[in-house]
Amino acid sequence: MHNQTLVQISNSLKNKEYSSVELTQHFIRRIEKLDAKLNSLITINSDLALQRAAEADRQLAKGEANPLCGVPYIHKDIFCTQGIRTSCASRMLHDFIAPYDATVTERLNRCGMVMLAKSNMDEFAMGSSNETSFYGPTLNPWNLERVPGGSSGGSAAAVAARLAPFATGTDTGGSIRQPASLCGVTGLKPTYGRVSRYGMVAFASSMDQAGPMTQTAEDAALVLEAMAGFDDKDSTSLDTPCPAFSADLGASIKGMRIGIPQEFLAQGLDPLVAERLQQAIKIYESMGAVIKEISLENSPLAVPVYYVVACAESSSNLARYDGVRYGYRCQDAKDLQDLYRRTRSEGFGQEVKRRILMGTYVLSAGYYDAYYLKAQKVRQLISQDFAAAFQEVDLILGPTTPTPAFKVGEKMEDPVTMYLNDIYTIPANLAGLPAISLPMGFVNQLPVGLQLVANHLQEALMLNAAYQYQQQTDWHQQMPAEFK
Ligand code: GLN
Protein backbone atom coordinates (compact mmCIF):
# COMPACT_ATOMS: atom_id res chain seq x y z
CA MET A 1 0.00 0.00 0.00
CA HIS A 2 2.74 2.45 0.91
CA ASN A 3 4.26 2.40 -2.57
CA GLN A 4 1.01 3.60 -4.11
CA THR A 5 0.51 7.25 -4.94
CA LEU A 6 -2.24 9.20 -3.21
CA VAL A 7 -4.44 8.97 -6.31
CA GLN A 8 -3.95 5.19 -6.43
CA ILE A 9 -4.75 4.90 -2.71
CA SER A 10 -7.88 6.96 -3.20
CA ASN A 11 -9.04 4.55 -5.95
CA SER A 12 -8.20 1.48 -3.89
CA LEU A 13 -10.28 2.84 -0.99
CA LYS A 14 -13.16 3.56 -3.30
CA ASN A 15 -12.99 0.06 -4.80
CA LYS A 16 -12.85 -1.48 -1.31
CA GLU A 17 -9.51 -3.19 -1.93
CA TYR A 18 -8.78 -2.32 1.69
CA SER A 19 -10.37 -0.12 4.33
CA SER A 20 -9.06 3.14 5.71
CA VAL A 21 -8.53 1.42 9.07
CA GLU A 22 -6.33 -1.24 7.43
CA LEU A 23 -4.44 1.41 5.51
CA THR A 24 -3.96 3.57 8.61
CA GLN A 25 -2.73 0.56 10.60
CA HIS A 26 -0.25 -0.19 7.85
CA PHE A 27 1.22 3.32 7.97
CA ILE A 28 1.26 3.38 11.78
CA ARG A 29 3.27 0.14 11.75
CA ARG A 30 5.70 1.68 9.27
CA ILE A 31 6.04 4.78 11.44
CA GLU A 32 6.68 2.65 14.53
CA LYS A 33 9.28 0.58 12.72
CA LEU A 34 11.05 3.22 10.65
CA ASP A 35 10.78 6.70 12.11
CA ALA A 36 13.37 5.99 14.81
CA LYS A 37 15.96 6.17 12.00
CA LEU A 38 14.69 9.49 10.69
CA ASN A 39 13.20 11.49 13.56
CA SER A 40 10.78 12.97 11.03
CA LEU A 41 7.86 13.19 13.47
CA ILE A 42 7.29 15.14 16.69
CA THR A 43 3.89 13.88 17.81
CA ILE A 44 2.32 10.59 16.71
CA ASN A 45 -1.38 10.41 16.80
CA SER A 46 -2.25 6.70 16.39
CA ASP A 47 -5.42 6.39 18.48
CA LEU A 48 -7.12 9.41 17.05
CA ALA A 49 -6.01 8.44 13.55
CA LEU A 50 -7.66 5.03 13.89
CA GLN A 51 -10.88 6.64 15.12
CA ARG A 52 -10.87 9.02 12.17
CA ALA A 53 -10.17 6.12 9.80
CA ALA A 54 -13.18 4.22 11.17
CA GLU A 55 -15.33 7.31 10.57
CA ALA A 56 -13.93 7.58 7.04
CA ASP A 57 -14.81 3.94 6.39
CA ARG A 58 -18.42 4.69 7.32
CA GLN A 59 -18.44 7.58 4.84
CA LEU A 60 -16.82 5.44 2.17
CA ALA A 61 -19.43 2.71 2.70
CA LYS A 62 -22.13 5.22 1.84
CA GLY A 63 -20.39 5.68 -1.52
CA GLU A 64 -20.52 9.44 -1.55
CA ALA A 65 -17.18 10.31 -0.03
CA ASN A 66 -14.66 12.92 -1.17
CA PRO A 67 -11.69 11.38 -3.09
CA LEU A 68 -9.44 12.23 -0.11
CA CYS A 69 -11.69 10.48 2.42
CA GLY A 70 -9.79 7.90 4.44
CA VAL A 71 -6.37 8.88 3.07
CA PRO A 72 -3.70 9.26 5.80
CA TYR A 73 -1.39 12.25 5.93
CA ILE A 74 1.26 13.92 8.07
CA HIS A 75 0.82 17.53 9.14
CA LYS A 76 3.71 19.95 9.60
CA ASP A 77 3.84 20.92 13.27
CA ILE A 78 3.28 24.57 12.39
CA PHE A 79 -0.48 24.12 11.80
CA CYS A 80 -2.79 24.43 14.77
CA THR A 81 -4.60 21.20 15.57
CA GLN A 82 -7.26 21.39 18.23
CA GLY A 83 -6.48 19.12 21.16
CA ILE A 84 -3.13 17.97 19.74
CA ARG A 85 0.16 19.71 20.52
CA THR A 86 1.44 22.31 18.02
CA SER A 87 5.09 22.88 18.94
CA CYS A 88 6.55 24.55 15.84
CA ALA A 89 9.63 22.54 16.91
CA SER A 90 10.33 25.11 19.63
CA ARG A 91 10.75 24.81 23.37
CA MET A 92 8.57 27.91 23.44
CA LEU A 93 5.54 25.87 22.31
CA HIS A 94 6.57 22.48 23.67
CA ASP A 95 3.38 22.25 25.76
CA PHE A 96 1.10 24.31 23.55
CA ILE A 97 -2.24 22.77 22.64
CA ALA A 98 -4.18 25.02 20.31
CA PRO A 99 -7.82 25.64 21.18
CA TYR A 100 -8.77 25.67 17.48
CA ASP A 101 -7.87 24.16 14.11
CA ALA A 102 -6.01 26.01 11.36
CA THR A 103 -8.13 26.48 8.25
CA VAL A 104 -5.93 23.98 6.39
CA THR A 105 -6.40 21.43 9.19
CA GLU A 106 -10.14 21.99 9.16
CA ARG A 107 -10.39 21.61 5.37
CA LEU A 108 -8.40 18.37 5.30
CA ASN A 109 -10.49 17.04 8.20
CA ARG A 110 -13.67 17.96 6.42
CA CYS A 111 -12.62 15.82 3.43
CA GLY A 112 -12.24 12.87 5.78
CA MET A 113 -8.44 12.76 5.71
CA VAL A 114 -6.70 10.93 8.54
CA MET A 115 -3.90 12.78 10.34
CA LEU A 116 -1.22 10.30 11.46
CA ALA A 117 1.32 12.62 13.05
CA LYS A 118 2.79 16.11 13.25
CA SER A 119 6.14 16.41 11.50
CA ASN A 120 9.49 17.72 12.61
CA MET A 121 10.73 21.02 11.18
CA ASP A 122 13.18 23.83 11.77
CA GLU A 123 12.22 25.88 14.82
CA PHE A 124 9.54 28.38 13.76
CA ALA A 125 10.33 27.32 10.15
CA MET A 126 13.68 29.12 10.27
CA GLY A 127 16.25 26.97 8.56
CA SER A 128 17.20 24.92 5.53
CA SER A 129 18.28 21.66 7.12
CA ASN A 130 15.91 20.75 9.96
CA GLU A 131 18.81 21.10 12.36
CA THR A 132 17.33 24.02 14.32
CA SER A 133 14.51 21.86 15.72
CA PHE A 134 14.20 21.65 19.51
CA TYR A 135 13.49 17.94 18.96
CA GLY A 136 16.77 17.23 17.16
CA PRO A 137 17.50 16.97 13.44
CA THR A 138 15.56 14.88 10.95
CA LEU A 139 17.74 12.71 8.70
CA ASN A 140 17.51 12.19 4.97
CA PRO A 141 16.10 8.74 4.07
CA TRP A 142 18.43 8.56 1.04
CA ASN A 143 21.48 8.86 3.25
CA LEU A 144 21.19 9.00 7.02
CA GLU A 145 24.30 11.16 7.37
CA ARG A 146 22.68 13.93 5.37
CA VAL A 147 20.07 16.58 6.09
CA PRO A 148 16.60 16.39 4.51
CA GLY A 149 16.50 20.15 3.90
CA GLY A 150 14.17 22.47 5.72
CA SER A 151 12.15 23.82 7.15
CA SER A 152 9.56 21.20 6.08
CA GLY A 153 12.27 18.52 6.34
CA GLY A 154 10.20 16.17 8.50
CA SER A 155 7.36 16.22 5.98
CA ALA A 156 9.73 15.66 3.04
CA ALA A 157 11.60 12.81 4.74
CA ALA A 158 8.31 11.16 5.78
CA VAL A 159 6.90 11.23 2.23
CA ALA A 160 10.20 10.01 0.75
CA ALA A 161 10.27 7.12 3.26
CA ARG A 162 6.62 6.38 2.46
CA LEU A 163 5.38 6.96 6.01
CA ALA A 164 2.39 8.71 4.39
CA PRO A 165 1.35 9.45 0.82
CA PHE A 166 1.10 13.17 1.55
CA ALA A 167 2.38 15.71 4.05
CA THR A 168 1.73 19.40 4.43
CA GLY A 169 4.51 21.95 4.26
CA THR A 170 4.94 25.70 4.46
CA ASP A 171 7.22 27.81 2.34
CA THR A 172 8.44 31.31 3.25
CA GLY A 173 11.70 31.20 1.32
CA GLY A 174 11.79 27.66 -0.04
CA SER A 175 10.79 25.42 2.85
CA ILE A 176 8.54 23.20 0.73
CA ARG A 177 10.60 23.10 -2.46
CA GLN A 178 14.12 22.83 -1.03
CA PRO A 179 13.43 19.76 1.18
CA ALA A 180 11.33 18.27 -1.65
CA SER A 181 14.39 18.59 -3.88
CA LEU A 182 16.77 17.07 -1.32
CA CYS A 183 14.42 14.16 -0.50
CA GLY A 184 13.21 13.36 -4.03
CA VAL A 185 9.54 14.28 -3.61
CA THR A 186 7.18 16.73 -5.30
CA GLY A 187 6.56 19.97 -3.38
CA LEU A 188 4.32 22.86 -4.38
CA LYS A 189 4.17 26.41 -3.05
CA PRO A 190 0.98 28.10 -4.26
CA THR A 191 0.46 31.75 -5.19
CA TYR A 192 0.62 33.91 -2.05
CA GLY A 193 -2.94 34.12 -0.71
CA ARG A 194 -4.18 30.92 -2.38
CA VAL A 195 -4.10 28.90 0.85
CA SER A 196 -5.29 30.40 4.12
CA ARG A 197 -2.66 31.26 6.74
CA TYR A 198 -5.22 31.20 9.55
CA GLY A 199 -3.92 29.00 12.35
CA MET A 200 -0.50 28.58 10.77
CA VAL A 201 2.15 29.82 13.19
CA ALA A 202 3.41 33.06 11.63
CA PHE A 203 7.03 33.50 10.53
CA ALA A 204 7.14 36.17 7.78
CA SER A 205 3.54 36.96 7.02
CA SER A 206 4.06 38.59 3.61
CA MET A 207 5.60 35.37 2.27
CA ASP A 208 4.35 32.40 4.36
CA GLN A 209 2.33 30.02 2.23
CA ALA A 210 1.23 26.41 2.79
CA GLY A 211 1.24 23.68 0.19
CA PRO A 212 1.39 19.92 -0.45
CA MET A 213 4.34 17.52 -0.46
CA THR A 214 3.55 14.32 -2.36
CA GLN A 215 5.06 11.73 -4.69
CA THR A 216 3.52 13.20 -7.85
CA ALA A 217 2.18 16.42 -9.34
CA GLU A 218 -1.14 14.65 -9.87
CA ASP A 219 -1.37 14.00 -6.12
CA ALA A 220 -0.39 17.60 -5.39
CA ALA A 221 -3.18 18.87 -7.66
CA LEU A 222 -5.78 16.82 -5.82
CA VAL A 223 -4.77 17.92 -2.32
CA LEU A 224 -4.29 21.51 -3.33
CA GLU A 225 -7.95 21.61 -4.30
CA ALA A 226 -8.81 20.71 -0.72
CA MET A 227 -6.32 23.09 0.92
CA ALA A 228 -6.88 26.19 -1.22
CA GLY A 229 -9.67 28.73 -1.44
CA PHE A 230 -10.87 31.97 0.08
CA ASP A 231 -10.99 32.25 3.86
CA ASP A 232 -12.43 35.31 5.54
CA LYS A 233 -10.32 34.59 8.63
CA ASP A 234 -7.14 35.51 6.68
CA SER A 235 -7.06 39.13 5.50
CA THR A 236 -4.59 38.31 2.71
CA SER A 237 -6.61 35.35 1.40
CA LEU A 238 -7.44 35.71 -2.30
CA ASP A 239 -11.10 35.88 -3.10
CA THR A 240 -10.81 34.21 -6.51
CA PRO A 241 -12.26 30.88 -7.60
CA CYS A 242 -9.94 27.85 -7.53
CA PRO A 243 -9.93 25.78 -10.69
CA ALA A 244 -10.25 21.99 -10.44
CA PHE A 245 -6.48 21.52 -10.62
CA SER A 246 -6.66 17.73 -10.89
CA ALA A 247 -9.20 17.80 -13.73
CA ASP A 248 -6.99 20.13 -15.78
CA LEU A 249 -4.09 17.69 -16.16
CA GLY A 250 -3.18 16.02 -19.43
CA ALA A 251 -3.30 18.86 -21.97
CA SER A 252 -0.44 18.90 -24.47
CA ILE A 253 2.32 21.36 -23.68
CA LYS A 254 3.28 21.74 -27.34
CA GLY A 255 4.19 25.34 -28.02
CA MET A 256 4.43 26.22 -24.31
CA ARG A 257 7.15 28.85 -23.84
CA ILE A 258 9.55 27.98 -21.05
CA GLY A 259 12.17 30.49 -19.90
CA ILE A 260 15.52 29.53 -18.39
CA PRO A 261 16.92 32.38 -16.27
CA GLN A 262 20.62 32.75 -16.97
CA GLU A 263 21.22 33.96 -13.42
CA PHE A 264 20.15 30.50 -12.14
CA LEU A 265 22.92 28.79 -14.09
CA ALA A 266 25.68 31.05 -12.81
CA GLN A 267 28.35 30.21 -10.28
CA GLY A 268 27.37 28.23 -7.22
CA LEU A 269 25.40 25.64 -9.17
CA ASP A 270 26.92 22.16 -8.83
CA PRO A 271 27.95 21.08 -12.38
CA LEU A 272 26.29 17.69 -11.89
CA VAL A 273 23.01 19.38 -10.92
CA ALA A 274 23.40 21.54 -14.04
CA GLU A 275 23.75 18.35 -16.11
CA ARG A 276 20.53 16.90 -14.72
CA LEU A 277 18.85 20.20 -15.48
CA GLN A 278 19.97 20.07 -19.11
CA GLN A 279 18.44 16.60 -19.41
CA ALA A 280 15.17 17.90 -17.96
CA ILE A 281 15.19 20.77 -20.45
CA LYS A 282 15.64 18.25 -23.29
CA ILE A 283 12.61 16.33 -22.08
CA TYR A 284 10.52 19.49 -22.20
CA GLU A 285 11.84 20.19 -25.70
CA SER A 286 10.93 16.70 -26.81
CA MET A 287 7.36 17.35 -25.64
CA GLY A 288 7.19 20.40 -27.89
CA ALA A 289 7.96 23.18 -25.42
CA VAL A 290 9.81 26.19 -26.78
CA ILE A 291 12.85 26.94 -24.60
CA LYS A 292 14.04 30.54 -24.30
CA GLU A 293 16.85 32.17 -22.40
CA ILE A 294 15.58 34.86 -20.08
CA SER A 295 17.05 37.16 -17.47
CA LEU A 296 15.91 37.87 -13.93
CA GLU A 297 18.44 40.57 -13.45
CA ASN A 298 17.84 41.34 -9.79
CA SER A 299 17.46 37.76 -8.60
CA PRO A 300 21.04 37.61 -7.25
CA LEU A 301 19.85 40.17 -4.66
CA ALA A 302 17.01 37.94 -3.47
CA VAL A 303 18.83 36.29 -0.56
CA PRO A 304 19.95 39.52 1.17
CA VAL A 305 16.55 41.13 0.53
CA TYR A 306 14.79 38.11 1.98
CA TYR A 307 16.89 38.09 5.14
CA VAL A 308 16.03 41.72 5.79
CA VAL A 309 12.29 41.35 5.13
CA ALA A 310 11.83 37.91 6.72
CA CYS A 311 13.76 38.84 9.86
CA ALA A 312 11.88 42.13 10.21
CA GLU A 313 8.52 40.40 9.98
CA SER A 314 9.53 37.54 12.23
CA SER A 315 10.86 39.84 14.95
CA SER A 316 7.45 41.42 15.04
CA ASN A 317 5.51 38.13 14.83
CA LEU A 318 7.56 36.51 17.57
CA ALA A 319 7.06 39.39 20.01
CA ARG A 320 3.91 37.61 21.19
CA TYR A 321 5.94 34.91 22.97
CA ASP A 322 6.45 36.83 26.20
CA GLY A 323 5.68 34.25 28.87
CA VAL A 324 2.43 36.03 29.68
CA ARG A 325 -0.04 34.97 27.01
CA TYR A 326 0.78 31.35 26.18
CA GLY A 327 3.71 29.04 25.63
CA TYR A 328 6.84 28.66 27.73
CA ARG A 329 7.29 30.73 30.89
CA CYS A 330 10.52 30.82 32.90
CA GLN A 331 10.51 29.76 36.55
CA ASP A 332 10.40 32.23 39.46
CA ALA A 333 10.59 35.51 37.59
CA LYS A 334 11.82 38.39 39.80
CA ASP A 335 9.85 41.03 37.92
CA LEU A 336 8.31 41.67 34.51
CA GLN A 337 11.64 42.43 32.78
CA ASP A 338 13.14 39.25 34.17
CA LEU A 339 10.07 37.28 33.01
CA TYR A 340 10.42 38.55 29.43
CA ARG A 341 14.16 38.20 29.29
CA ARG A 342 14.46 34.71 30.68
CA THR A 343 11.35 33.35 28.98
CA ARG A 344 12.68 34.40 25.60
CA SER A 345 16.30 33.46 26.31
CA GLU A 346 15.33 29.99 27.48
CA GLY A 347 12.41 29.38 25.12
CA PHE A 348 13.98 30.27 21.76
CA GLY A 349 16.87 28.54 20.04
CA GLN A 350 19.94 30.22 18.59
CA GLU A 351 18.75 30.69 15.00
CA VAL A 352 15.45 32.21 16.13
CA LYS A 353 17.30 34.66 18.36
CA ARG A 354 19.63 35.57 15.50
CA ARG A 355 16.61 36.40 13.31
CA ILE A 356 14.93 38.46 16.04
CA LEU A 357 18.13 40.45 16.54
CA MET A 358 18.56 41.11 12.82
CA GLY A 359 14.89 41.97 12.48
CA THR A 360 14.80 44.49 15.29
CA TYR A 361 18.02 46.02 13.98
CA VAL A 362 16.75 46.61 10.43
CA LEU A 363 13.49 48.03 11.78
CA SER A 364 15.12 50.36 14.29
CA ALA A 365 14.60 54.10 13.74
CA GLY A 366 18.17 54.77 12.59
CA TYR A 367 18.40 51.88 10.11
CA TYR A 368 14.86 51.48 8.79
CA ASP A 369 15.48 53.51 5.61
CA ALA A 370 18.89 52.04 4.97
CA TYR A 371 17.85 48.41 5.26
CA TYR A 372 14.15 47.68 5.50
CA LEU A 373 12.92 50.30 3.07
CA LYS A 374 15.74 49.60 0.63
CA ALA A 375 14.99 45.86 0.76
CA GLN A 376 11.32 46.52 -0.01
CA LYS A 377 12.35 48.55 -3.06
CA VAL A 378 14.61 45.81 -4.36
CA ARG A 379 11.82 43.32 -3.68
CA GLN A 380 9.68 45.37 -6.05
CA LEU A 381 12.40 45.22 -8.71
CA ILE A 382 12.56 41.44 -8.38
CA SER A 383 8.78 41.24 -8.89
CA GLN A 384 9.06 43.49 -11.94
CA ASP A 385 11.69 41.19 -13.47
CA PHE A 386 9.22 38.31 -13.20
CA ALA A 387 6.38 40.40 -14.63
CA ALA A 388 8.56 41.27 -17.63
CA ALA A 389 9.62 37.63 -18.08
CA PHE A 390 6.01 36.45 -18.06
CA GLN A 391 5.32 38.74 -21.00
CA GLU A 392 7.56 36.44 -23.00
CA VAL A 393 7.19 32.99 -21.46
CA ASP A 394 4.48 30.87 -19.80
CA LEU A 395 6.72 29.18 -17.25
CA ILE A 396 10.19 29.57 -15.78
CA LEU A 397 12.39 26.51 -15.27
CA GLY A 398 15.57 26.15 -13.23
CA PRO A 399 17.16 24.08 -10.49
CA THR A 400 15.49 24.04 -7.06
CA THR A 401 18.73 23.83 -5.10
CA PRO A 402 22.37 24.46 -6.03
CA THR A 403 23.54 21.12 -4.59
CA PRO A 404 22.14 17.81 -3.35
CA ALA A 405 21.72 17.17 0.40
CA PHE A 406 24.71 18.16 2.52
CA LYS A 407 26.00 16.46 5.66
CA VAL A 408 24.45 16.97 9.07
CA GLY A 409 26.48 19.64 10.86
CA GLU A 410 28.26 20.79 7.71
CA LYS A 411 26.70 24.26 7.49
CA MET A 412 25.53 24.92 11.04
CA GLU A 413 28.50 27.08 11.96
CA ASP A 414 28.14 29.28 8.91
CA PRO A 415 24.67 30.83 8.59
CA VAL A 416 25.48 32.63 5.32
CA THR A 417 26.37 29.40 3.49
CA MET A 418 23.22 27.87 4.93
CA TYR A 419 21.14 30.82 3.69
CA LEU A 420 22.51 30.42 0.15
CA ASN A 421 20.66 27.10 -0.18
CA ASP A 422 17.52 29.03 -0.98
CA ILE A 423 19.02 31.18 -3.70
CA TYR A 424 16.72 29.75 -6.40
CA THR A 425 13.59 29.42 -4.31
CA ILE A 426 13.43 32.79 -2.55
CA PRO A 427 12.68 34.98 -5.63
CA ALA A 428 9.25 33.32 -6.06
CA ASN A 429 8.37 34.06 -2.41
CA LEU A 430 9.38 37.70 -2.70
CA ALA A 431 7.14 38.01 -5.77
CA GLY A 432 4.29 35.86 -4.37
CA LEU A 433 4.44 33.45 -7.33
CA PRO A 434 3.50 29.75 -7.41
CA ALA A 435 6.35 27.27 -7.85
CA ILE A 436 6.89 23.53 -7.72
CA SER A 437 9.89 21.24 -7.26
CA LEU A 438 9.99 17.86 -9.05
CA PRO A 439 12.55 15.07 -8.77
CA MET A 440 14.85 15.27 -11.83
CA GLY A 441 17.44 12.59 -11.11
CA PHE A 442 20.34 11.83 -8.81
CA VAL A 443 23.76 13.28 -8.08
CA ASN A 444 26.02 10.91 -6.11
CA GLN A 445 22.98 8.78 -5.26
CA LEU A 446 21.16 11.78 -3.81
CA PRO A 447 18.01 13.19 -5.39
CA VAL A 448 17.87 16.69 -6.85
CA GLY A 449 14.89 18.71 -8.03
CA LEU A 450 13.92 20.97 -10.88
CA GLN A 451 11.78 23.99 -10.21
CA LEU A 452 8.96 25.44 -12.29
CA VAL A 453 7.70 28.95 -11.48
CA ALA A 454 4.45 30.27 -12.96
CA ASN A 455 2.72 33.62 -13.04
CA HIS A 456 0.23 34.50 -10.27
CA LEU A 457 -2.68 32.05 -10.03
CA GLN A 458 -1.31 29.87 -12.86
CA GLU A 459 -1.05 26.73 -10.71
CA ALA A 460 -3.14 24.73 -13.20
CA LEU A 461 -0.74 25.43 -16.07
CA MET A 462 2.26 24.71 -13.83
CA LEU A 463 0.78 21.47 -12.51
CA ASN A 464 0.04 20.30 -16.02
CA ALA A 465 3.63 20.94 -17.11
CA ALA A 466 4.83 19.06 -14.00
CA TYR A 467 2.42 16.19 -14.67
CA GLN A 468 3.61 15.89 -18.28
CA TYR A 469 7.25 15.73 -17.14
CA GLN A 470 6.35 12.92 -14.74
CA GLN A 471 4.66 11.02 -17.58
CA GLN A 472 8.07 10.99 -19.32
CA THR A 473 10.28 10.21 -16.31
CA ASP A 474 10.26 7.89 -13.32
CA TRP A 475 12.47 9.81 -10.87
CA HIS A 476 9.44 10.48 -8.67
CA GLN A 477 8.83 6.73 -8.32
CA GLN A 478 12.27 5.94 -6.90
CA MET A 479 12.36 4.92 -3.26
CA PRO A 480 15.26 4.99 -0.78
CA ALA A 481 16.49 1.39 -0.40
CA GLU A 482 16.16 1.20 3.38
CA PHE A 483 12.52 2.28 3.28
CA LYS A 484 11.03 0.13 0.51
N1 GLN B 1 15.49 28.55 4.69
C1 GLN B 1 14.76 29.78 4.69
C2 GLN B 1 14.88 30.42 6.05
O1 GLN B 1 15.58 29.92 6.83
C3 GLN B 1 13.34 29.54 4.32
C4 GLN B 1 12.52 28.98 5.40
C5 GLN B 1 11.09 28.82 5.04
O2 GLN B 1 10.73 28.84 3.87
N2 GLN B 1 10.25 28.68 6.05
O3 GLN B 1 14.30 31.41 6.34
Side-chain angles (χ1 to χ4, degrees):
M1 303 173 194
H2 59 270
N3 45 23
Q4 290 184 299
T5 66
L6 183 146
V7 168
Q8 289 165 343
I9 286 178
S10 164
N11 288 328
S12 296
L13 284 169
K14 199 169 86 199
N15 301 332
K16 313 261 180 309
E17 287 161 36
Y18 45 72
S19 67
S20 174
V21 167
E22 285 164 331
L23 179 69
T24 302
Q25 278 166 340
H26 176 75
F27 279 112
I28 291 173
R29 275 195 300 271
R30 278 184 74 74
I31 287 173
E32 283 168 353
K33 193 168 109 202
L34 299 168
D35 192 51
K37 296 186 190 177
L38 296 173
N39 192 30
S40 72
L41 307 173
I42 293 177
T43 304
I44 300 171
N45 200 26
S46 312
D47 293 345
L48 206 67
L50 286 166
Q51 273 174 36
R52 298 269 309 154
E55 273 166 45
D57 280 333
R58 286 192 285 277
Q59 278 302 116
L60 284 157
K62 290 190 208 149
E64 54 201 33
N66 180 290
L68 295 174
C69 183
V71 178
Y73 78 104
I74 287 170
H75 213 11
K76 185 174 180 180
D77 206 17
I78 195 169
F79 291 96
C80 287
T81 44
Q82 190 174 8
I84 299 159
R85 170 171 64 168
T86 300
S87 75
C88 228
S90 180
R91 183 178 191 195
M92 193 57 96
L93 293 176
H94 176 61
D95 294 318
F96 175 63
I97 296 187
Y100 64 93
D101 277 331
T103 296
V104 169
T105 310
E106 189 189 294
R107 289 189 177 176
L108 298 176
N109 274 342
R110 217 190 300 141
C111 294
M113 291 202 89
V114 175
M115 189 180 83
L116 297 169
K118 307 277 308 268
S119 60
N120 203 352
M121 52 183 282
D122 281 295
E123 184 179 7
F124 285 104
M126 297 174 185
S128 308
S129 66
N130 239 83
E131 292 166 290
T132 70
S133 169
F134 176 61
Y135 301 94
T138 297
L139 304 177
N140 190 317
W142 292 93
N143 180 330
L144 298 172
E145 288 173 5
R146 308 235 162 201
V147 303
S151 66
S152 312
S155 288
V159 172
R162 306 297 192 253
L163 304 184
F166 150 59
T168 54
T170 61
D171 191 313
T172 305
S175 278
I176 290 177
R177 291 160 287 153
Q178 186 257 12
S181 172
L182 303 193
C183 289
V185 304
T186 299
L188 185 153
K189 179 199 95 74
T191 305
Y192 180 78
R194 191 61 119 171
V195 175
S196 169
R197 290 183 296 110
Y198 180 75
M200 209 173 94
V201 178
F203 165 13
S205 306
S206 75
M207 292 178 281
D208 294 345
Q209 186 59 201
M213 308 184 77
T214 51
Q215 289 169 41
T216 68
E218 189 184 19
D219 291 354
L222 189 62
V223 247
L224 184 60
E225 280 171 35
M227 294 172 76
F230 177 64
D231 179 14
D232 61 12
K233 296 199 203 90
D234 170 359
S235 62
T236 56
S237 172
L238 288 170
D239 194 359
T240 41
C242 275
F245 302 111
S246 60
D248 286 346
L249 302 176
S252 161
I253 61 162
K254 201 161 186 301
M256 184 184 272
R257 298 161 307 164
I258 300 184
I260 318 287
Q262 291 319 292
E263 293 78 5
F264 285 18
L265 307 178
Q267 50 143 296
L269 180 62
D270 178 331
L272 295 173
V273 177
E275 252 174 50
R276 298 293 162 276
L277 187 72
Q278 291 307 327
Q279 286 168 357
I281 293 172
K282 287 217 178 72
I283 289 175
Y284 273 105
E285 267 175 333
S286 72
M287 291 190 283
V290 181
I291 306 291
K292 288 189 174 191
E293 265 188 25
I294 58 161
S295 169
L296 296 173
E297 205 188 329
N298 294 290
S299 61
L301 299 172
V303 172
V305 167
Y306 170 84
Y307 277 93
V308 172
V309 176
C311 291
E313 292 182 21
S314 66
S315 71
S316 157
N317 274 326
L318 270 57
R320 71 191 70 178
Y321 304 103
D322 55 5
V324 177
R325 287 168 246 226
Y326 59 96
Y328 179 77
R329 175 182 296 172
C330 72
Q331 298 271 303
D332 308 319
K334 283 203 308 284
D335 52 29
L336 191 61
Q337 280 306 322
D338 186 46
L339 174 80
Y340 290 159
R341 189 179 312 115
R342 280 203 293 120
T343 293
R344 290 168 69 80
S345 310
E346 293 164 18
F348 289 135
Q350 210 190 352
E351 182 62 27
V352 175
K353 287 181 201 162
R354 180 159 31 227
R355 307 272 178 125
I356 293 172
L357 284 175
M358 286 200 283
T360 35
Y361 181 81
V362 299
L363 288 175
S364 60
Y367 293 105
Y368 182 93
D369 288 358
Y371 294 110
Y372 184 72
L373 205 64
K374 174 88 107 333
Q376 290 292 16
K377 288 179 180 166
V378 181
R379 179 179 187 175
Q380 190 57 34
L381 295 177
I382 291 170
S383 292
Q384 284 167 5
D385 286 350
F386 277 112
F390 285 122
Q391 299 285 328
E392 285 175 41
V393 296
D394 306 300
L395 266 185
I396 293 174
L397 187 157
T400 308
T401 50
T403 64
F406 46 92
K407 289 216 169 99
V408 176
E410 193 180 314
K411 299 193 178 175
M412 276 308 264
E413 298 310 316
D414 181 0
V416 175
T417 319
M418 183 72 95
Y419 295 171
L420 286 172
N421 258 288
D422 296 321
I423 188 158
Y424 306 129
T425 50
I426 282 175
N429 299 83
L430 290 169
L433 297 166
I436 191 169
S437 178
L438 309 170
M440 66 162 177
F442 291 83
V443 166
N444 305 328
Q445 278 120 47
L446 295 164
V448 284
L450 77 86
Q451 177 178 223
L452 300 174
V453 184
N455 210 345
H456 294 114
L457 298 174
Q458 298 299 309
E459 284 89 351
L461 177 136
M462 180 177 87
L463 278 160
N464 184 48
Y467 172 82
Q468 294 295 9
Y469 176 78
Q470 292 184 333
Q471 298 306 106
Q472 304 297 319
T473 57
D474 65 359
W475 304 118
H476 57 286
Q477 291 165 355
Q478 309 297 320
M479 276 196 250
E482 275 187 65
F483 297 89
K484 279 194 173 145

